[in-house]
Amino acid sequence: MSNLPASRTRPTRRTWLAMGAALALPLPALAATFSEITWLELVPPGWDPAKTLQAQQPDLAGLSDTDPRAEKALEELRRIWDNAPTVPSLAGRMVKLPGYLVPLEEGKYGIREFLLVPYFGACIHTPPPPSNQIVLGRAAKPFKGLRTMDAVWASGRLQIERADSSMGVASYAMQVERVVKYQAS
């Protein structure tokens, strides 16, 4: 047995009330832990892939699609986009980001892994956007009720992680805690 007085070994009424109040937080108060970000915040200031490509191949205007120089330029642009720079200060942040859903791993229990992209049709049509405009989402628990290209809000911890998929290269990954249909906030 402890030598502490009984008031020290059992929670007091005040402790129980405080614990109850903490558990009764409304959902909007819990959601406030995610800071809303935009897709532009995922791109480092000053990054301009067109300027890089133009510097390497200045005579692109007027080339036909079948010109070998145009094909080389498209390959170079794809390389630049697949290796797009990230914003290191976003690593580890709890964020909420709107986007369109591209399921990667879907089963009878729902979607567990997906790409989040900034515009409708991205990654389904080619070419996919730059890698710093694709977020690989991994949900701890699968979610249902959403389909390919549904507009959603994804909330979770953002990390810098390059990931290849059949739909495109992502420069960011998110450990997703919540995915809901998009509604303007």
Side-chain angles (χ1 to χ4, degrees):
M1 256 334 241
S2 170
N3 291 334
L4 295 173
S7 64
R8 295 271 187 117
T9 58
R10 284 184 258 142
T12 64
R13 183 173 191 261
R14 177 180 283 166
T15 304
W16 284 110
L17 289 173
M19 288 183 344
L23 293 174
L25 284 173
L27 287 178
L30 293 175
T33 61
F34 298 104
S35 58
E36 189 175 313
I37 63 170
T38 67
W39 287 95
L40 289 177
E41 292 174 71
L42 299 176
V43 179
W47 183 67
D48 183 356
K51 189 188 300 184
T52 303
L53 187 62
Q54 190 65 29
Q56 292 176 358
Q57 302 189 11
D59 61 341
L60 293 176
L63 294 180
S64 73
D65 289 347
T66 57
D67 188 306
R69 293 174 296 169
E71 290 176 19
K72 183 180 176 192
L74 283 175
E75 287 174 13
E76 180 60 16
L77 183 61
R78 182 77 264 149
R79 188 192 66 71
I80 292 168
W81 280 14
D82 285 350
N83 294 290
T86 57
V87 179
S89 62
L90 291 174
R93 284 196 37 208
M94 299 297 281
V95 300
K96 177 181 175 185
L97 181 66
Y100 293 91
L101 186 71
V102 179
L104 294 176
E105 184 184 313
E106 188 172 9
K108 68 179 184 178
Y109 297 108
I111 299 169
R112 183 176 292 275
E113 193 170 86
F114 61 94
L115 297 179
L116 189 67
V117 295
Y119 54 86
F120 188 85
C123 291
I124 291 177
H125 303 292
T126 57
S131 63
N132 61 12
Q133 294 293 282
I134 301 175
V135 176
L136 172 65
R138 294 184 185 107
K141 291 170 50 177
F143 56 90
K144 290 185 174 186
L146 296 169
R147 300 177 317 218
T148 299
M149 284 294 126
D150 274 351
V152 299
W153 282 103
S155 302
R157 184 173 305 280
L158 194 64
Q159 295 296 336
I160 296 172
E161 176 186 326
R162 193 157 312 278
D164 261 321
S165 77
S166 61
M167 299 291 196
V169 178
S171 287
Y172 294 97
M174 180 187 291
Q175 188 56 49
V176 177
E177 292 187 21
R178 187 169 183 223
V179 177
V180 295
K181 279 203 177 224
Y182 178 85
Q183 291 184 1
S185 42

